[in-house]
Amino acid sequence: MSTWRRVHVNLRKAHGLFPVSSRRVTQPNTWKYGHLTLCKSLSTSRPLRDDFFKDLEVQLAAMRQKALDALPGSDWSPLKMDRSLPPERADVVIVGGGVIGWSIAYWIKQKERLRGGVRVVVVEKDPTYSQASTVLSAGGIRQQFSLPENICLSIASAQFMKNINEHLHVLNEDPVDLQFNHSGYLFLANEEVAHIMEENYKTQRSFGAHVSLLSATQLKEKFPWINTDGVALASYGLENEGWFDPWTLLQAFKRKALSLGAEQSIGEVTDFKYTSNIATTAEGDQVVQRRIKSVKVQVNNSLEYQPIECAIVVNAAGALSGKLAATLGILLPVEPRKRYIYVLNCPDGPGLDTPFLIDYSGVWFRREGLGGNYIAGTSPEEALEPDTSDLEVDHQFFEEKVWPHLASRVPALEKLKVTSAWAGFYDYNTFDQNAVIGLHPSINNMFFATGFSGHGLQHSPAVGRAMAELIMEGNFTSIDLSNLGFRRIIQKEPMLERNIV
Amino acid sequence: MLKILIPTLMLIPTAWFAPPKWLWPLTLMGSLLIAVTSFSWFKSTSEVGWTTLNSYMATDPLSTPLLALTCWLLPLMILASQHHTHNEPLNRQRTYLTLLISLQFFLILAFSATELIMFYVMFEATLLPTLMIITRWGNQAERLNAGMYFLFYTLASSLPLLVALLILQNTSGTLSLLTLQYMSPMSLTTHADKLWWVGCLLAFLVKMPLYGVHLWLPKAHVEAPIAGSMILAAVLLKLGGFGMMRMMLVLEPLTKEMLYPFIVFALWGIVMAGSICLRQTDLKSLIAYSSVSHMGLVVAGILVQTPWGFAGALILMIAHGLTSSALFCLANTNYERIHSRSILLARGLHMVLPLMATWWFFASMANLALPPLPNLMGELMIITSLIGWSYWTLALTGTGMLITASYSMYMFITTQRGPLPNHLVALDPSHTREHLIMALHLLPLILLILNPQLISGWVN
């Protein structure tokens, strides 16, 4: 024991690498408390502080932490389980971690009556959301649709978002601030399409949307900066319309769903394992019914994969849902379509009450922030759809297609500067540009919530609730979305919107 | 005895040398033959009760029903495992069957042991194949945790049992049950004797399980594959009860005072485990907790040490073994089709699988102790003997029976009745194999209504 009391290292013997110094680098290890030593470490130098009790406290804290880790109720196990891979089995696997996917996860967790009743896993390929449609969206919400289902979904979603902290607030965390600008949408119609606008107006009013029709003169009175040439009728949303921050909504859904017990896993769904049953109809035709047994999730940049055995699969993969359905051999008419958004700076532009203006030519713009910035864009013609292999922006498109119409409609925007631009994908339903929601007829346990063609973000709370009702209760109970099911695609009866951007 | 043991042992080479196409049919037929032959033990012409006696093993009216249950369960386990193992490589299937057969072998030796040390060794030996079945063939990553809990709970509680048995050998000079039953009560007065009393019983209480030490059971039952769940619920829990009934012989005068905390735990456990069942969303977990609840009643029945208590405990053990195993098979039929154990996702099934709904009905009714099934007879006998011990136990046992009825009905109504979700409309129809398993579980239960003396132990 006594040898430990006075130990020092003599560096003079170490040659070569260190500058030879005769100075003692360490002090002799004198023990303040006399002959009693506590040989708790094999260190040959004295620690910097000389307090026995502080060191003891540190050691006790470490022991306490270790004991806490080992108590029941904690995650510690002598056999370490690899938690970086997705779980081996789950009840519901949601493919796609965008706002629709997390909304469905949140609502399913909301509807399970007991904690831990249904195991939900959300599989997302790209945790940075670099190409996700959700975060690249313009973030608008409107009730001005022609399809009753769309109107009801928007109204329900707007109610949800106005009361978002009642739904998505997590204890001890910051409240959710969506930055919901209630500036409304303003649709402009010329002579040819004014009658469609009037019919839509009647439908919207009958479902409870607060929309008003304005004539050209009323329009000029309300918004003097608009050039009303060619405008016969305008439709202005008075309530529950505007824009909000998509990233905040996504993170709010995700945070609440995770706090309720949903799980997230990072990876790409590449394959499914299913069983097939061949049934014969009354006429003698053979129908194949398939049931998915497990979903193969491939870890990014690795050869590792994990098959997740599951009861229900939800396809909420957005722009890539068509590709996902193709791995199962299903024809889902959803493909990515690239849309550009340009950020403009115009100090003399229209004021703070600028609504989300959509012209009958398809060009739209809205205010962004308070510094005289606006964002604008338009839908390209069918034949001139840009290439979807990347998200590069075509600035020529702005010069040719957007600016002329914009400048003619809003003269103040003739002098502007394009400060930035980005592109995002629509999950475009090539069949009728409306959502596909529901079960697939020949795959018994695969649900779809995709094909929103540009209005997915604004419908996400209500669609999540509808999907959760479908999964947990077996049928739609709040909004009946059976018309948006797969049946119309198979029977080739499109449900077209007469008002599409 | 050898006419059962040797064929059981020989089933292992059958499993390894059978041609692949005949593996499952051969082992099934072999185990069925053994099961039918095991019924010959019921025909006992001995005056002293103990039959088929040799130096190490014997059968008596207490162990015969349990032995028959063990032998009866092996063909059922083989039938139930066929589906989920058919995709595995052949040698793994053979290993699985070997584990099941070795489990039966150890269980037969355990139940028929006359020497308490042999019983102890076999009691421990059954842990190993079960552990292998749970950790290798279970479904989820949590099975490792479940295996740990299962192994260490039982192991830690059975070490005192070994010490206690050695002390008993030293004081009384013998550990043979045939001799111990005639031993006069020992003088057990010191604190160390009280500890010895606890040491004798702790292993069995953990195995039963008693409510306070029951944590391993839901984990093990949920994570085990179907055969593991069946053997655990039907027979391994009864090892604990059987051990308790054997040990009661020697624990005599001390039991009157020492039983108080354990009876309290047992009775309270009936109510608590039943209440937990009402909150479960995982079907297998629900059935596991219902096992805890029923076994609480068995523990209480054994601890009061009356003839009716023992008879009721044995009847309830056999009846519960068949019922619980049947319920696990039903939950497995659900799981094989839907791949989820959640009650919330598997509802309204009587529209899709009506015949299976009939089996669900019978099994649920058996679980809630419907007269005239032996489940009720056992429960009534235990409750009656408990009332003889103290009137106040009626409050707990009565509440327990009420809660049992409500969670059994809850399970039945949630899985079978109600609207059928759209994603469950097209399920595989019920296989003959599944109907056979259910019939072989419930038919003996119904036949036992007619002759309950077979399973009521030494009272006749």
Side-chain angles (χ1 to χ4, degrees):
Chain A
M1 281 293 176
S2 54
T3 48
W4 293 57
R5 289 176 64 204
R6 212 179 280 268
V7 178
H8 58 266
V9 173
N10 202 340
L11 267 194
R12 257 175 287 173
K13 297 239 173 66
H15 30 179
L17 297 168
F18 303 104
V20 177
S21 117
S22 61
R23 183 175 55 85
R24 277 221 185 120
V25 212
T26 60
Q27 295 172 12
N29 197 0
T30 47
W31 194 245
K32 257 170 37 179
Y33 298 97
H35 291 272
L36 271 167
T37 50
L38 214 64
C39 49
K40 48 181 164 43
S41 67
L42 288 173
S43 152
T44 54
S45 71
R46 206 180 57 157
L48 282 176
R49 92 183 146 196
D50 203 16
D51 192 343
F52 168 72
F53 288 111
K54 279 220 178 63
D55 289 333
L56 192 63
E57 256 181 55
V58 166
Q59 296 233 349
L60 281 176
M63 277 166 52
R64 201 182 309 132
Q65 186 56 38
K66 179 122 188 235
L68 267 178
D69 282 337
L71 280 175
S74 83
D75 222 6
W76 185 82
S77 147
L79 303 160
K80 284 277 168 229
M81 292 191 269
D82 185 4
R83 296 261 185 229
S84 61
L85 284 177
E88 287 171 12
R89 64 164 310 282
D91 292 320
V92 180
V93 171
I94 300 178
V95 183
V99 71
I100 297 280
W102 280 111
S103 172
I104 298 176
Y106 159 71
W107 279 104
I108 292 181
K109 278 294 171 184
Q110 190 70 0
K111 283 190 180 297
E112 61 171 17
R113 282 168 288 119
L114 297 168
R115 181 107 188 180
V118 181
R119 193 163 178 188
V120 178
V121 172
V122 176
V123 182
E124 167 58 42
K125 179 172 75 159
D126 177 13
T128 63
Y129 293 102
S130 54
Q131 297 201 329
S133 312
T134 301
V135 300
L136 296 167
S137 156
I141 174 166
R142 59 175 162 114
Q143 276 85 53
Q144 295 181 50
F145 291 99
S146 64
L147 220 55
E149 283 84 7
N150 282 340
I151 302 174
C152 293
L153 282 174
S154 278
I155 295 178
S157 299
Q159 293 296 332
F160 181 91
M161 287 194 271
K162 286 201 296 201
N163 300 316
I164 194 160
N165 275 307
E166 271 173 39
H167 301 280
L168 298 184
H169 180 59
V170 178
L171 202 57
N172 284 340
E173 300 261 355
D174 296 332
V176 182
D177 176 20
L178 275 184
Q179 288 151 40
F180 195 160
N181 280 284
H182 293 260
S183 299
Y185 266 61
L186 181 65
F187 278 84
L188 305 178
N190 58 9
E191 288 290 338
E192 289 110 47
V193 294
H195 64 287
I196 303 180
M197 184 174 267
E198 266 198 68
E199 285 162 26
N200 288 348
Y201 166 77
K202 289 204 192 62
T203 322
Q204 288 150 21
R205 286 299 293 242
S206 74
F207 281 96
H210 290 193
V211 190
S212 66
L213 282 181
L214 303 170
S215 68
T217 31
Q218 287 171 322
L219 186 63
K220 191 72 185 177
E221 266 176 52
K222 199 160 177 60
F223 304 110
W225 41 265
I226 293 189
N227 170 14
T228 53
D229 287 341
V231 174
L233 199 56
S235 166
Y236 181 45
L238 298 168
E239 199 189 20
N240 289 340
E241 290 198 355
W243 58 88
F244 58 91
D245 181 19
W247 176 253
T248 313
L249 185 63
L250 173 66
Q251 292 302 317
F253 270 128
K254 185 167 159 180
R255 184 181 74 176
K256 184 71 178 176
L258 286 174
S259 83
L260 286 174
E263 290 166 44
Q264 176 184 25
S265 80
I266 309 288
E268 188 183 352
V269 173
T270 47
D271 202 7
F272 297 91
K273 272 207 171 57
Y274 51 85
T275 55
S276 306
N277 270 328
I278 304 182
T280 319
T281 64
E283 289 90 36
D285 301 321
Q286 296 236 312
V287 175
V288 180
Q289 292 282 319
R290 286 185 280 176
R291 191 164 194 94
I292 297 179
K293 293 291 178 205
S294 73
V295 173
K296 178 174 156 185
V297 177
Q298 182 82 31
V299 176
N300 293 332
N301 303 321
S302 161
L303 286 175
E304 278 186 297
Y305 66 91
Q306 171 77 285
I308 307 181
E309 204 183 326
C310 57
I312 290 178
V313 177
V314 179
N315 183 351
L320 300 171
S321 349
K323 199 163 79 109
L324 185 74
T327 57
L328 268 173
I330 311 173
L331 196 59
L332 176 69
V334 172
E335 60 178 44
R337 290 281 175 97
K338 188 155 79 169
R339 296 287 177 266
Y340 305 114
I341 296 184
Y342 304 93
V343 183
L344 322 166
N345 179 280
C346 179
D348 300 321
L352 291 177
D353 64 347
T354 311
F356 201 126
L357 183 93
I358 304 189
D359 189 40
Y360 50 83
S361 60
V363 170
W364 58 267
F365 88 104
R366 72 156 168 90
R367 175 179 59 82
E368 169 67 30
L370 305 169
N373 295 314
Y374 305 87
I375 60 176
T378 186
S379 295
E381 283 145 48
E382 188 72 33
L384 301 170
E385 282 284 351
D387 172 40
T388 52
S389 55
D390 57 22
L391 283 176
E392 291 298 314
V393 178
D394 180 8
H395 294 276
Q396 208 52 29
F397 184 78
F398 179 74
E399 307 275 336
E400 289 167 13
K401 297 281 175 9
V402 181
W403 203 353
H405 295 282
L406 204 55
S408 76
R409 185 58 60 204
V410 184
L413 290 179
E414 264 176 35
K415 291 198 273 292
L416 54 72
K417 194 167 149 57
V418 180
T419 45
S420 164
W422 73 81
F425 290 123
Y426 273 10
D427 48 342
Y428 194 81
N429 181 348
T430 49
F431 182 62
D432 58 6
Q433 293 86 54
N434 265 318
V436 181
I437 294 181
L439 262 180
H440 190 274
S442 77
I443 303 203
N444 295 329
N445 57 351
M446 184 165 206
F447 289 83
F448 287 84
T450 176
F452 293 97
S453 315
H455 40 267
L457 174 68
Q458 57 186 285
H459 288 164
S460 56
V463 164
R465 186 179 60 181
M467 289 297 296
E469 285 165 6
L470 204 52
I471 292 176
M472 303 295 286
E473 293 161 26
N475 261 313
F476 296 112
T477 42
S478 48
I479 307 177
D480 185 11
L481 300 175
S482 20
N483 287 336
L484 289 176
F486 230 93
R487 180 182 296 268
R488 72 185 203 270
I489 299 185
I490 299 206
Q491 292 178 340
K492 308 242 189 317
E493 293 164 8
M495 292 191 51
L496 288 160
E497 262 291 326
R498 294 157 98 209
N499 205 4
I500 187 74
V501 173
Chain B
M1 183 59 66
L2 274 182
K3 67 177 178 290
I4 306 291
L5 270 182
I6 301 279
T8 307
L9 219 43
M10 283 295 130
L11 270 183
I12 298 181
T14 315
W16 280 98
F17 293 121
K21 214 172 70 151
W22 290 101
L23 172 63
W24 293 90
L26 267 181
T27 42
L28 180 62
M29 286 321 295
S31 51
L32 261 177
L33 278 174
I34 296 176
V36 170
T37 321
S38 75
F39 292 150
S40 67
W41 282 322
F42 281 116
K43 185 166 180 290
S44 137
T45 48
S46 154
E47 285 167 359
V48 294
W50 294 90
T51 50
T52 56
L53 209 52
N54 65 43
S55 337
Y56 304 104
M57 302 182 282
T59 62
D60 71 325
L62 177 55
S63 54
T64 307
L66 290 164
L67 280 166
L69 182 63
T70 312
C71 296
W72 186 244
L73 216 66
L74 185 59
L76 268 41
M77 285 197 283
I78 293 178
L79 268 175
S81 309
Q82 246 177 301
H83 182 85
H84 76 88
T85 48
H86 81 282
N87 274 333
E88 293 193 3
L90 188 63
N91 282 339
R92 216 171 281 172
Q93 295 182 18
R94 296 192 201 269
T95 316
Y96 194 64
L97 282 170
T98 311
L99 284 170
L100 295 180
I101 296 164
S102 61
L103 201 52
Q104 158 144 332
F105 179 69
F106 289 135
L107 281 167
I108 295 178
L109 285 175
F111 282 126
S112 58
T114 49
E115 187 79 28
L116 280 177
I117 286 287
M118 175 158 157
F119 174 69
Y120 174 78
V121 172
M122 291 304 138
F123 180 82
E124 299 293 303
T126 56
L127 287 181
L128 285 170
T130 319
L131 182 69
M132 288 186 226
I133 292 176
I134 295 178
T135 49
R136 174 61 189 82
W137 277 273
N139 280 320
Q140 301 174 214
E142 283 79 8
R143 70 185 185 271
L144 301 172
N145 220 1
M148 285 290 118
Y149 265 71
F150 169 67
L151 186 68
F152 283 108
Y153 262 73
T154 317
L155 228 40
S157 56
S158 63
L159 199 53
L161 177 62
L162 181 61
V163 176
L165 286 178
L166 294 175
I167 295 176
L168 184 56
Q169 161 82 10
N170 269 346
T171 43
S172 62
T174 176
L175 276 182
S176 169
L177 285 166
L178 306 167
T179 326
L180 281 176
Q181 62 184 331
Y182 295 118
M183 197 182 69
S184 51
M186 302 187 284
S187 96
L188 301 165
T189 45
T190 66
H191 269 298
D193 289 324
K194 295 194 169 58
L195 277 179
W196 172 80
W197 188 95
V198 175
C200 279
L201 283 187
L202 190 61
F204 305 120
L205 289 172
V206 167
K207 197 80 174 167
M208 285 255 30
L210 186 65
Y211 176 64
V213 288
H214 68 287
L215 276 182
W216 64 271
L217 185 122
K219 289 193 202 292
H221 274 89
V222 165
E223 303 302 332
I226 178 63
S229 293
M230 286 167 75
I231 194 71
L232 263 172
V235 185
L236 287 175
L237 300 190
K238 287 39 178 188
L239 256 185
F242 175 77
M244 276 179 80
M245 288 163 112
R246 291 293 195 213
M247 291 305 290
M248 283 301 177
L249 286 173
V250 302
L251 297 173
E252 222 338 270
L254 210 44
T255 316
K256 265 207 301 280
E257 327 142 13
M258 289 291 298
L259 54 66
Y260 273 98
F262 302 101
I263 269 207
V264 166
F265 269 110
L267 292 173
W268 187 235
I270 306 175
V271 174
M272 286 307 292
S275 312
I276 294 179
C277 279
L278 283 169
R279 263 194 67 85
Q280 287 296 320
T281 48
D282 183 337
L283 197 51
K284 276 181 102 166
S285 195
L286 204 157
I287 304 170
Y289 275 106
S290 111
S291 283
V292 179
S293 179
H294 286 279
M295 287 300 112
L297 204 50
V298 172
V299 170
I302 297 176
L303 281 173
V304 284
Q305 297 180 283
T306 59
W308 269 39
F310 269 43
L314 186 57
I315 297 178
L316 186 54
M317 284 204 287
I318 303 295
H320 171 263
L322 288 168
T323 314
S324 197
S325 183
L327 282 170
F328 273 115
C329 287
L330 285 168
N332 189 49
T333 61
N334 257 8
Y335 180 76
E336 283 179 358
R337 286 173 174 74
I338 304 172
H339 279 277
S340 163
R341 291 193 306 256
S342 172
I343 260 187
L344 302 168
L345 288 179
R347 321 161 72 162
L349 289 172
H350 80 140
M351 296 298 287
V352 157
L353 301 171
L355 291 178
M356 205 47 76
T358 318
W359 297 122
W360 269 103
F361 180 68
F362 276 127
S364 303
M365 292 302 112
N367 202 23
L368 63 83
L370 191 73
L373 290 167
N375 305 65
L376 179 74
M377 298 308 144
E379 288 192 12
L380 277 183
M381 290 173 86
I382 297 179
I383 293 179
T384 320
S385 60
L386 276 172
I387 292 178
W389 177 72
S390 158
Y391 293 134
W392 298 103
T393 57
L394 185 60
L396 287 168
T397 49
T399 319
M401 284 195 77
L402 182 62
I403 298 183
T404 306
S406 38
Y407 71 68
S408 300
M409 291 297 291
Y410 166 66
M411 179 175 62
F412 177 64
I413 291 178
T414 317
T415 50
Q416 303 305 117
R417 305 275 185 231
L420 180 68
N422 286 328
H423 60 94
L424 291 182
V425 167
L427 287 181
D428 276 353
S430 310
H431 301 280
T432 315
R433 163 178 50 86
E434 292 165 348
H435 286 306
L436 181 62
I437 299 179
M438 296 315 303
L440 286 180
H441 272 111
L442 296 174
L443 212 54
L445 200 58
I446 296 176
L447 286 175
L448 278 173
I449 302 174
L450 302 173
N451 196 1
Q453 293 102 294
L454 282 179
I455 54 174
S456 40
W458 283 88
V459 281
N460 43 330

